[in-house]
Amino acid sequence: MYKGLKNRVLRAGLIPVALLTITLCLLSGILAFFQTKADFEQQSLINSKQLALIISHSLSHNDKELTQTILRTSLQLKGMESLRITDEGDNALFESGIPMLPAIASPQTRSYVVDLDDHLLITVPVSTGESAPALWLEAGFNKQEILLSRYQWLLIIITISVLSLMLATIALLRLANSLSFPLERITSQIGQLDLYNLQMRLPADSNNDFVPLKRHLNHLLARMQIRYRDMKDEVERAAAEIQQNMETLELKNAELDISRKNAIEASQSKSMFLANISHEMHTPLNSIVGYCGLLEKTQLESLQREHLRTLQTSAECLKAIISDILDFSKIEAGKLHLEHAPFNLRTVVDEALAMNSPSAQEKKLELATVFYPGTPVFLLGDSNRLKQVISNLLSNAIKFTEQGSVAIEVNCIQKRNEMAELRISVKDTGIGISDTEGHKLFQAFSQVDSSLSRNRDGTGLGLVICKNLVAQMQGEIDFTSHAGEGSCFWFTANLAIDHKSEALHQSTRTDHLSGIAIVCEPREWSRLAIVRQLEDLGFEPHCLDTDSMFNSSRLSILKQASLFVVGVHQEDSQSTITEVAPYIDTNARLLLLGDPQHIEDLNYLTGTNTRILPFPLMQEQLLESLCTLFGEDQVDCTQKPEQTPQELSNDTRILAVDDNPPNLKLLKIMLEDLGVQVDTANSGYKAVEYAQQHDYDLIFMDIQMPGMNGVEACQKIRQQEQGEKNIPIIALTAHAMMDEKSRLLEEDFDAYLTKPVSEQQLLHTISHWTQPLSAGQTLSLFPGDSSADEKQQKAGTTSSSPVDMEEGITLAGGRKALAEELLSMILETLPENRESIAALHQQEHFVELQEVIHKLHGAARYCGVPDLRDACRESEILLKKKKLSELEDSIHVLNQEIDRLLIWQARFMPARQDKQTSHDTESIEELESQA
């Protein structure tokens, strides 16, 4: 357990000892290395000198034999291996042992000790009793003795070092064990402790070093025992409280679960109630609005017409209240979603202005709209919801303003990343709102004046709905106001810019409306609105009043003016016209703007160069009047082509189904007025029976009916068709909830209409689904071209052309350029769509295949390609019904129609054909050969 501690103790002791031992060994070895050599040389020199004394004695007696014996005997000395006695000429007189190498120098000149590679040569003089030595003793010693001595010293040093390390290790081991063994015993005793038995104590032992530690541990155990006992008591008390709380929580959870179920049931009941009440309220409202429209077409007395107008106004108010309640319910349910479609912002604002204009006229309020420069008007978004917000703010301003003006300001704060941030303000000169009451405005069912004596109606939901709509437009809404000083409600909205519509507008914009325009309007907001609209149309407006006209500096401007715009009001209408008339040139045009209540009094002034328009001024009315004043030969007035209702074929046969007799009768009358044949059925059973007996072009089906409802009747009719002709079935529903409409489209309905239904909606729906135009009226992109017939004959498709440009122009609202652009767009996508359809069909990815065909079908609905549209529709229906066995032929027909369009594009659109690559050319030639 404590091996780590033991190892650390050993390392802490052995490392210094080992380092010290190694250091001493190194020092001793170095010292022995040099000392052994010095000792060997010293000893050899001493031995040589002693031998020289002995030899000198024998030579003095001239005893050569004794001298030779002494030399042989001396070879036994340590390390000596050769001896030689030489004279001064270095001639050997006596020699014994291993022969020596030739002397490196004469004995008189060399040193006593000469260190050779592996030998040591010592030369000493031999005294013969004479004054100068005549003989020399040369002794050769082998250095192996030095190495042997060195090895002996090294062995001794290593032995001593090893013994020292062993002794140190033993001592350190005893020290480590004296620490680790007691700690292991203490640890083992502590490990035997139990949380439920803390009475055990550590026993004392002979090792006094750990007695304080054990004493403190025993003291700690005693305190832990006391703390554990107290904690156990607290845990028991807490467990009892938790148990009690758990029982309470279980009761609360049961109550909450019941409340949740009740809330869900109440929410479902509320949704069902709203759906039913919507249906029940819209059903009679449909009859009221419809029959009012029929009565309006008859001959009525003035009093009757006034009563009818009152009835229509009341019906519209009721419809608005129902819409507010339903919108608020959608907001609460989180099901209020915005559309994303192109629209004209100026048209939306003008429509909101027109809707609220009668209320302002009753109070004689000034009503105007000002668009500031740089504000884009062609946008993408939900125009109806935007108009709802503007209309709500505008109606509130009119409601709380008794005199003065109500103005709408439209400005673009900034443009970034194809988005425009708009700020729309509604300013009034009404009663204003105090600071203490302003916080109530954006609360549901709250009003500034909610007393029973209030003289202004409303549900209090309008601003709440507006706030939610503005939030979905990524904007905010707020107001500034002071009591008695009027109010300014404003909101911002981030909307995408529709560059395509803007470019199309610029291409059709006229440049003939230009010149100086004189504006004479005393009211500030109306004058500013007139000036801004004239500037947008290309005029150079100058604002004057009747007093400044007599100024001589203004006469030159008056003479150059091509247009006079004069605001005529009831209190000074005659004087204004009288003062302005002398300054109007004979070639100048006059546009009079008057109050709607008294505009009939100015009709006598209408002439070739004079037009009269009511306040508030709408740009569409202004443009039409200017086109008329300046003549059609000078101005291209095709900015907004008039869309005339399409005449329906008398052979068109329609089945109308509704269980409500008044609604059924109304629907029949409206359809008959459109010139179609109508059969009626008052139940789902009869609808199924009639659909089986007759061949209908279209069926209008009510949803909520007793017995068999509209959904069940639609499913029965679809089952009877069995893959043959699919009759378009349009749902007539009073349910305004978005999920209800989505559900209908999933139940084999082709489309839906929300009650009340207008004649225009019926006409558009019938025209769209019955396709009255022939598919081969023309091939030319330019109707009326003399070469169209030749092209048809060359193509060989006079009666079976895949393109019908007249139908395309009709679907584009009469805009030829737009129809050509839509056709070009769908033609450019055909090669990619054909490849996707073939690949997905081969891989049996039917969900993705349905999405591709659905998108292609949607694009074909707005172009003059009826055969492609029918093929897409047939394939989409088979995919929806999962009739995969019949899908093969349908996909084959669809591919044939795509191939026909690609061939048509190659022949009759050469400008675009030049832009295709060589690969596209080969593909088209291959398709043409197959066709």
Side-chain angles (χ1 to χ4, degrees):
M1 183 180 296
Y2 288 97
K3 289 183 179 179
L5 175 64
K6 185 184 295 185
N7 293 333
R8 285 195 295 271
V9 172
L10 290 174
R11 285 196 298 269
L14 285 177
I15 290 175
V17 172
L19 292 176
L20 181 61
T21 302
I22 292 171
T23 302
L24 291 175
C25 288
L26 290 174
L27 293 176
S28 300
I30 294 171
L31 181 62
F33 180 84
F34 293 102
Q35 188 64 35
T36 53
K37 181 180 180 182
D39 292 345
F40 181 76
E41 291 179 354
Q42 185 68 24
Q43 186 65 37
S44 298
L45 183 61
I46 293 171
N47 291 337
S48 298
K49 288 181 177 181
Q50 291 177 353
L51 183 59
L53 290 175
I54 296 172
I55 292 174
S56 64
H57 180 72
S58 62
L59 289 177
S60 64
H61 292 85
N62 198 16
D63 191 353
K64 296 182 179 180
E65 184 178 354
L66 179 61
T67 302
Q68 189 68 38
T69 301
I70 292 173
L71 292 176
R72 284 196 301 271
T73 305
S74 298
L75 290 175
Q76 298 178 3
L77 293 176
K78 183 179 180 181
M80 186 175 293
E81 60 180 8
S82 63
L83 289 172
R84 187 176 63 173
I85 299 174
T86 61
D87 56 10
E88 294 178 353
D90 200 18
N91 297 314
L93 301 178
F94 298 95
E95 187 174 3
S96 180
I98 299 173
M100 290 187 179
L101 296 174
I104 58 176
S106 63
Q108 295 87 351
T109 59
R110 64 169 175 260
S111 174
Y112 286 164
V113 180
V114 178
D115 190 0
L116 300 176
D117 291 336
D118 54 353
H119 291 80
L120 185 67
L121 179 62
I122 297 177
T123 305
V124 293
V126 178
S127 176
T128 58
E130 299 177 0
S131 58
L135 300 176
W136 298 87
L137 176 63
E138 294 179 356
F141 293 88
N142 192 347
K143 285 186 178 180
Q144 294 294 330
E145 294 295 333
I146 299 175
L147 293 177
L148 182 60
S149 298
R150 287 175 178 175
Y151 289 149
Q152 290 174 352
W153 275 106
L154 181 61
L155 180 60
I156 293 171
I157 292 171
I158 292 174
T159 302
I160 294 173
S161 300
V162 170
L163 291 175
S164 300
L165 288 174
M166 291 176 63
L167 292 175
T169 303
I170 293 171
L172 290 172
L173 281 173
R174 289 178 59 83
L175 176 62
N177 291 332
S178 66
L179 294 175
S180 62
F181 290 161
L183 288 176
E184 287 181 359
R185 286 195 298 271
I186 294 173
T187 304
S188 176
Q189 292 169 356
I190 292 175
Q192 296 175 3
L193 292 176
D194 191 356
L195 289 176
Y196 300 100
N197 183 15
L198 296 174
Q199 298 177 357
M200 189 186 74
R201 298 294 181 266
L202 300 178
D205 54 15
S206 59
N207 194 340
N208 296 327
D209 296 333
F210 293 95
V211 171
L213 175 61
K214 292 184 177 181
R215 184 172 61 251
H216 287 296
L217 286 175
N218 289 332
H219 182 62
L220 178 62
L221 288 172
R223 286 189 295 175
M224 288 178 61
Q225 184 179 4
I226 297 172
R227 183 63 59 85
Y228 174 75
R229 186 169 55 248
D230 296 340
M231 184 177 64
K232 184 177 180 182
D233 295 338
E234 292 178 1
V235 168
E236 290 177 353
R237 287 195 300 269
E241 293 178 359
I242 291 173
Q243 182 65 29
Q244 185 178 0
N245 291 336
M246 288 294 293
E247 294 175 356
T248 305
L249 284 174
E250 288 179 0
L251 294 175
K252 293 292 184 183
N253 286 336
E255 294 176 0
L256 287 174
D257 188 53
I258 296 172
S259 300
R260 178 179 173 275
K261 291 180 180 178
N262 293 336
I264 293 174
E265 292 176 358
S267 177
Q268 293 175 349
S269 300
K270 175 184 174 182
S271 299
M272 185 62 67
F273 170 76
L274 286 173
N276 292 333
I277 200 65
S278 170
H279 181 272
E280 296 301 328
M281 295 180 73
H282 275 89
T283 297
L285 186 61
N286 182 42
S287 300
I288 294 172
V289 174
Y291 280 108
C292 285
L294 294 178
L295 281 175
E296 196 174 12
K297 296 179 181 180
T298 61
Q299 296 292 331
L300 298 175
E301 298 179 358
S302 59
L303 182 60
Q304 292 174 330
R305 190 168 297 279
E306 183 65 27
H307 291 168
L308 179 60
R309 190 175 295 112
T310 303
L311 181 61
Q312 288 176 324
T313 303
S314 300
E316 291 297 331
C317 291
L318 178 59
K319 183 179 178 182
I321 293 173
I322 296 174
S323 299
D324 282 349
I325 295 174
L326 290 176
D327 284 345
F328 184 72
S329 301
K330 293 178 186 177
I331 292 172
E332 283 190 327
K335 296 181 179 180
L336 184 63
H337 304 292
L338 302 184
E339 297 178 356
H340 190 75
F343 68 92
N344 188 313
L345 178 61
R346 190 179 290 276
T347 302
V348 170
V349 176
D350 285 348
E351 287 176 356
L353 207 66
M355 290 168 57
N356 294 274
S357 179
S359 302
Q361 294 167 9
E362 292 178 0
K363 294 185 176 183
K364 298 182 179 179
L365 299 177
E366 179 187 6
L367 197 60
T369 302
V370 179
F371 274 76
Y372 287 98
T375 303
V377 296
F378 295 100
L379 303 169
L380 295 171
D382 195 327
S383 60
N384 291 327
R385 293 302 183 182
L386 182 62
K387 180 167 60 178
Q388 181 179 351
V389 176
I390 298 173
S391 180
N392 187 280
L393 298 181
L394 192 59
S395 63
N396 286 344
I398 295 173
K399 187 188 303 182
F400 293 97
T401 302
E402 297 301 329
Q403 60 180 1
S405 63
V406 176
I408 302 176
E409 290 183 299
V410 184
N411 191 17
C412 180
I413 300 176
Q414 61 179 346
K415 297 179 183 178
R416 56 182 178 183
N417 299 330
E418 306 298 323
M419 299 292 291
E421 183 178 0
L422 303 178
R423 178 187 171 100
I424 302 177
S425 306
V426 178
K427 298 182 179 180
D428 64 69
T429 58
I431 60 176
I433 303 170
S434 63
D435 296 336
T436 58
E437 296 174 338
H439 67 280
K440 302 178 183 178
L441 289 178
F442 295 100
Q443 299 177 6
F445 304 105
S446 297
Q447 294 178 324
V448 173
D449 182 11
S450 58
S451 62
L452 295 176
S453 61
R454 71 180 191 270
N455 56 2
R456 298 171 178 88
D457 56 359
T459 61
L461 295 175
L463 290 178
V464 178
I465 297 171
C466 291
K467 184 176 182 180
N468 184 272
L469 293 176
V470 170
Q472 292 198 44
M473 297 177 192
Q474 302 177 3
E476 58 180 347
I477 185 171
D478 206 347
F479 73 98
T480 56
S481 178
H482 297 285
E485 299 180 4
S487 306
C488 175
F489 280 80
W490 58 268
F491 71 93
T492 60
N494 284 277
L495 301 172
I497 301 175
D498 185 9
H499 292 288
K500 185 178 295 184
S501 298
E502 187 174 1
L504 183 62
H505 170 74
Q506 293 296 333
S507 64
T508 59
R509 182 186 177 98
T510 177
D511 295 330
H512 297 282
L513 293 178
S514 60
I516 296 177
I518 304 298
V519 179
C520 182
E521 167 57 44
R523 298 184 300 185
E524 179 181 359
W525 285 110
S526 297
R527 181 171 63 251
L528 183 58
I530 296 170
V531 169
R532 286 297 309 123
Q533 293 196 41
L534 290 176
E535 286 177 348
D536 290 342
L537 293 175
F539 284 96
E540 179 185 346
H542 292 266
C543 298
L544 301 175
D545 53 33
T546 54
D547 295 334
S548 62
M549 286 185 181
F550 296 99
N551 192 334
S552 58
S553 62
R554 300 283 187 176
L555 294 179
S556 60
I557 298 178
L558 294 174
K559 292 180 180 180
Q560 298 175 14
S562 59
L563 175 66
F564 284 80
V565 182
V566 181
V568 181
H569 304 283
Q570 181 62 23
E571 58 272 10
D572 59 350
S573 60
Q574 192 62 39
S575 61
T576 301
I577 297 172
T578 303
E579 293 177 353
V580 172
Y583 300 95
I584 301 177
D585 189 77
T586 55
N587 294 325
R589 277 72 170 176
L590 175 62
L591 183 62
L592 297 177
L593 305 178
D595 299 325
Q597 303 94 324
H598 310 289
I599 197 169
E600 294 182 358
D601 299 338
L602 302 175
N603 285 339
Y604 72 95
L605 296 173
T606 303
T608 305
N609 293 338
T610 305
R611 285 294 179 269
I612 302 172
L613 289 178
F615 281 112
L617 183 61
M618 313 287 181
Q619 191 179 49
E620 182 179 353
Q621 297 175 348
L622 176 62
L623 180 60
E624 291 177 355
S625 298
L626 292 178
C627 287
T628 304
L629 286 174
F630 285 89
E632 295 182 356
D633 56 335
Q634 297 180 13
V635 179
D636 182 12
C637 296
T638 60
Q639 269 187 305
K640 183 175 177 63
E642 183 179 0
Q643 299 179 11
T644 58
Q646 181 177 333
E647 294 184 1
L648 301 178
S649 172
N650 293 331
D651 297 332
T652 303
R653 189 169 186 177
I654 295 175
L655 175 62
V657 186
D658 200 319
D659 65 313
N660 186 278
N663 280 353
L664 186 59
K665 182 179 179 180
L666 172 64
L667 183 59
K668 180 181 179 182
I669 294 174
M670 295 173 70
L671 290 173
E672 288 177 344
D673 288 346
L674 294 177
V676 298
Q677 301 178 24
V678 184
D679 291 340
T680 60
N682 58 4
S683 67
Y685 299 104
K686 289 187 177 181
V688 175
E689 180 182 354
Y690 289 172
Q692 188 175 12
Q693 295 174 356
H694 305 285
D695 188 11
Y696 291 107
D697 297 297
L698 190 66
I699 298 177
F700 288 103
M701 180 77 70
D702 187 30
I703 298 302
Q704 192 165 342
M705 295 184 294
M708 180 184 292
N709 59 34
V711 176
E712 295 172 348
C714 178
Q715 293 174 350
K716 291 288 185 182
I717 294 173
R718 295 302 187 201
Q719 292 175 3
Q720 293 175 0
E721 292 172 347
Q722 296 180 352
E724 299 177 357
K725 176 183 178 183
N726 291 279
I727 305 173
I729 303 178
I730 311 301
L732 295 178
T733 175
H735 296 276
M737 303 298 284
M738 184 59 67
D739 54 352
E740 174 68 16
K741 297 176 180 179
S742 301
R743 185 182 68 85
L744 292 176
L745 295 179
E746 295 174 358
E747 296 288 351
D748 289 333
F749 283 95
D750 295 279
Y752 63 85
L753 292 176
T754 303
K755 297 178 182 180
V757 183
S758 65
E759 279 191 9
Q760 191 66 27
Q761 287 177 306
L762 292 175
L763 176 60
H764 175 76
T765 303
I766 297 172
S767 301
H768 178 73
W769 289 101
T770 58
Q771 303 175 4
L773 292 178
S774 61
Q777 292 179 352
T778 181
L779 271 175
S780 176
L781 288 173
F782 307 96
D785 188 357
S786 60
S787 62
D789 296 335
E790 295 180 6
K791 293 180 181 179
Q792 289 178 351
Q793 293 173 2
K794 291 179 181 179
T797 57
T798 307
S799 60
S800 59
S801 168
V803 177
D804 186 349
M805 281 306 300
E806 288 190 4
E807 182 188 21
I809 294 172
T810 302
L811 293 174
R815 299 178 177 88
K816 181 175 67 176
L818 179 59
E820 294 175 1
E821 183 175 358
L822 292 174
L823 178 60
S824 300
M825 290 172 62
I826 194 174
L827 289 175
E828 290 175 358
T829 63
L830 286 181
E832 181 180 355
N833 283 329
R834 193 185 192 284
E835 293 178 3
S836 300
I837 291 171
L840 294 173
H841 181 243
Q842 184 177 2
Q843 298 170 5
E844 297 185 355
H845 294 169
F846 298 115
V847 177
E848 293 83 353
L849 178 62
Q850 182 178 347
E851 292 179 359
V852 173
I853 295 178
H854 177 73
K855 291 180 180 179
L856 182 60
H857 186 201
R861 286 184 177 182
Y862 298 95
C863 301
V865 285
D867 295 337
L868 177 65
R869 183 166 58 242
D870 292 341
C872 290
R873 183 169 178 268
E874 181 69 22
S875 299
E876 189 175 1
I877 290 173
L878 292 177
L879 286 169
K880 282 184 178 179
K881 295 182 177 181
K882 298 183 179 180
K883 296 182 178 180
L884 304 181
S885 59
E886 305 175 12
L887 186 61
E888 184 73 29
D889 295 336
S890 179
I891 294 296
H892 178 68
V893 173
L894 177 58
N895 287 332
Q896 283 184 338
E897 295 303 327
I898 294 176
D899 294 343
R900 290 180 62 209
L901 282 169
L902 291 175
I903 295 171
W904 183 92
Q905 180 187 19
R907 291 183 175 179
F908 299 103
M909 298 184 71
R912 293 189 177 273
Q913 177 66 15
D914 292 341
K915 298 180 182 179
Q916 301 295 329
T917 61
S918 59
H919 174 73
D920 296 330
T921 304
E922 295 174 359
S923 300
I924 291 174
E925 292 176 353
E926 182 181 355
L927 294 173
E928 187 174 356
S929 63
Q930 294 176 359

